[in-house]
Amino acid sequence: LAKHMNLSFSSWWAVFGAENRRAGSFFSCAQIFASFIVFPSAGVYAALYWDTLHSNIQAYVFIYLATMVFQWIIFWAQEFFLWRHLLHQFPIEHPSPLRWLVLALFSPVWHVLTTLSFFVVPTIHCLYHVTFIGELGYVCAPKGEAQKTEGAEEKK
């Protein structure tokens, strides 16, 4: 990289640092993917060996879980306020109470599934494609008048 870009190390490090801090970067993708493995493993370990854990570690686990529950409650309170007071004035279809209940109860599971499906897997696929296939085709879609003339020619 240093040979091909003609950057000094300090300049390269600034670019690397900016990419590393960016939300949605490869490094944040790897961190999120690792957290899906580490947190459940730590939870199983804590549940199996709860009696042998030091009281400080038990307190940290309790505080972490309480914070997660608090964030979950605040999120759904904000959603309820949004739908009840702000979006009520617009003619949109509102979810039924049963849908609210299903959304709220299964949201932790859906959060994991959607993060994996729409962030981690596409990022890894793109990285694989760029690394091993290397050919990224550009699709030149017709715009404006060119699109209309191509559509007219196809109909003939």
Side-chain angles (χ1 to χ4, degrees):
L1 185 65
K3 290 182 200 175
H4 301 293
M5 292 185 65
N6 294 329
L7 290 176
S8 66
F9 180 75
S10 60
S11 300
W12 179 84
W13 189 255
V15 171
F16 175 77
E19 171 61 20
N20 194 18
R21 288 186 300 273
R22 182 180 61 83
S25 69
F26 174 69
F27 297 104
S28 68
C29 177
Q31 179 185 12
I32 289 170
F33 185 65
S35 72
F36 288 146
I37 296 169
V38 171
F39 284 141
S41 302
V44 168
Y45 179 83
L48 290 176
Y49 300 105
W50 184 257
D51 296 334
T52 61
L53 293 177
H54 193 271
S55 61
N56 287 345
I57 294 176
Q58 290 177 349
Y60 292 145
V61 170
F62 176 74
I63 290 170
Y64 177 76
L65 292 176
T67 303
M68 296 275 295
V69 169
F70 179 73
Q71 288 176 344
W72 183 78
I73 290 171
I74 292 298
F75 172 80
W76 284 106
Q78 291 170 348
E79 283 291 318
F80 180 76
F81 177 80
L82 178 74
W83 279 93
R84 187 82 172 130
H85 298 289
L86 297 176
L87 296 177
H88 192 327
Q89 59 189 330
F90 299 108
I92 56 176
E93 183 179 342
H94 297 281
S96 67
L98 180 62
R99 277 199 188 172
W100 272 106
L101 183 66
V102 169
L103 279 172
L105 291 178
F106 290 110
S107 65
V109 174
W110 287 332
H111 172 70
V112 171
L113 293 175
T114 57
T115 303
L116 284 173
S117 300
F118 298 112
F119 178 56
V120 174
V121 171
T123 302
I124 292 172
H125 176 262
C126 184
L127 183 68
Y128 172 81
H129 195 83
V130 166
T131 304
F132 296 110
I133 297 172
E135 184 64 35
L136 297 175
Y138 179 75
V139 176
C140 186
K143 295 173 181 65
E145 294 298 319
Q147 184 177 13
K148 291 178 185 174
T149 57
E150 283 184 11
E153 290 174 3
E154 288 177 5
K155 289 180 183 178
K156 290 181 183 181

